[in-house]
Amino acid sequence: MELLSEEGFRIDGRKVNEIRRLSCRLGIFDRADGSAYVELGNTRVIASVHGPHDIRGSRSGGGSSSKGSEEKAAISCQYSMATFSTSDRKKRPRGDQRSIEITNNLKQVFESAILTELYPHSQIDIHLEVIQSDGSNYAACVNAASLAIIHAGIPIKDIVCACSSGFINGKPITDVNYIEESVSTTPIMTIAMLPKDKQILSMESSGKIHIDNLNDVMAAAIEGSKDVLSIMKQAILSHIQELKGS
């Protein structure tokens, strides 16, 4: 399978630095405090946010929590893939190693991005579900969660945007799809960042990337994140205009 042609086109017809078609919507659920839908190519993610609300679970007892942890909101994340999201039916949509890894990464990203100190003794729940998977699930989830948090009116440092990149046939590629991910020789990197301060909140990689190519792969992910950001901003503005018109 030729992932990159001699003319520089990928298997889905994109150039190496092109992201897939991105569609975003805010406010898809009435019963959540915040919600969003992101469609990145054929990858589709829904996100919902509940809170801030009283702390639930082990921290609610008060005995095991430190004073410092209670002075900020606790961020709870849950990531899952629908059993019908891939052609291979998943037997365990939650609890597998990759899902745990993505959940932990999402938690760390939004603990850094949300102004948690404004909500002491409280908790914010972020739920993400991939309803169709075609590559770059983690990046799509970061973008969906960011929009849902903004829709919930929770103060955040900046719009968190994310994009994946890879390296095929000696060239960096932006926004890796499922077929490109499936090739074991393709190294993949996903960056989540705060664009205003150019602060990278998460840099996840799989596969081996030679040190000589690392900067190019990072640059591809960062530039892709900027393209994603412009579309996310437009989705936010469109939602505000809809609210004004209603």
Side-chain angles (χ1 to χ4, degrees):
M1 186 182 299
E2 188 180 45
L3 295 180
L4 188 63
S5 70
E6 293 181 0
E7 293 79 15
F9 291 98
R10 295 153 70 174
I11 197 165
D12 56 7
R14 286 181 293 153
K15 295 180 181 179
V16 291
N17 61 346
E18 278 186 277
I19 65 170
R20 288 169 288 176
R21 183 181 60 83
L22 175 61
S23 174
C24 308
R25 256 190 1 254
L26 283 73
I28 61 170
F29 298 134
D30 292 333
R31 295 188 177 182
D33 294 307
S35 58
Y37 170 80
V38 165
E39 189 173 304
L40 179 60
N42 290 323
T43 296
R44 298 171 184 179
V45 176
I46 53 176
S48 62
V49 171
H50 300 266
H53 56 72
D54 291 339
I55 295 175
R56 299 168 184 163
S58 60
R59 286 186 58 180
S60 61
S64 60
S65 300
S66 65
K67 182 178 178 182
S69 64
E70 290 182 352
E71 291 175 352
K72 295 182 178 182
I75 305 298
S76 171
C77 287
Q78 185 179 80
Y79 164 88
S80 64
M81 291 178 64
T83 54
F84 51 80
S85 62
T86 64
S87 56
D88 298 326
R89 188 172 178 85
K90 288 175 64 65
K91 294 181 180 179
R92 296 178 61 195
R94 292 191 183 97
D96 60 281
Q97 190 59 42
R98 179 57 180 156
S99 294
I100 293 170
E101 187 179 319
I102 289 179
T103 297
N104 291 335
N105 287 343
L106 288 166
K107 184 176 185 294
Q108 291 174 7
V109 164
F110 290 104
E111 280 178 341
S112 299
I114 295 172
L115 299 177
T116 53
E117 64 274 11
L118 298 180
Y119 301 103
H121 309 283
S122 63
Q123 178 174 316
I124 297 169
D125 300 324
I126 304 170
H127 300 272
L128 291 141
E129 183 162 19
V130 177
I131 57 176
Q132 186 166 309
S133 174
D134 189 34
S136 298
N137 290 357
Y138 173 52
C141 283
V142 170
N143 298 327
S146 181
L147 291 174
I149 289 165
I150 290 169
H151 180 244
I154 296 172
I156 193 169
K157 294 176 182 176
D158 198 357
I159 302 172
V160 185
C161 54
C163 187
S164 64
S165 61
F167 198 76
I168 295 176
N169 294 356
K171 293 184 179 180
I173 61 169
T174 304
D175 181 24
V176 184
N177 64 29
Y178 177 75
I179 294 175
E180 293 164 340
E181 279 185 352
S182 300
V183 178
S184 59
T185 56
T186 304
I188 300 168
M189 176 180 290
T190 303
I191 285 179
M193 60 184 294
L194 295 172
K196 186 176 180 181
D197 296 330
K198 298 180 180 179
Q199 180 184 352
I200 294 176
L201 300 179
S202 170
M203 186 167 64
E204 181 196 64
S205 64
S206 62
K208 296 180 179 179
I209 304 175
H210 194 279
I211 188 68
D212 294 342
N213 305 319
L214 181 61
N215 287 339
D216 290 337
V217 175
M218 286 182 62
I222 291 171
E223 289 304 312
S225 297
K226 293 178 182 178
D227 293 338
V228 168
L229 174 67
S230 64
I231 298 170
M232 291 173 68
K233 282 183 174 179
Q234 186 58 50
I236 294 168
L237 289 173
S238 297
H239 181 71
I240 292 172
Q241 290 171 356
E242 287 177 8
L243 293 177
K244 288 181 178 179
S246 60

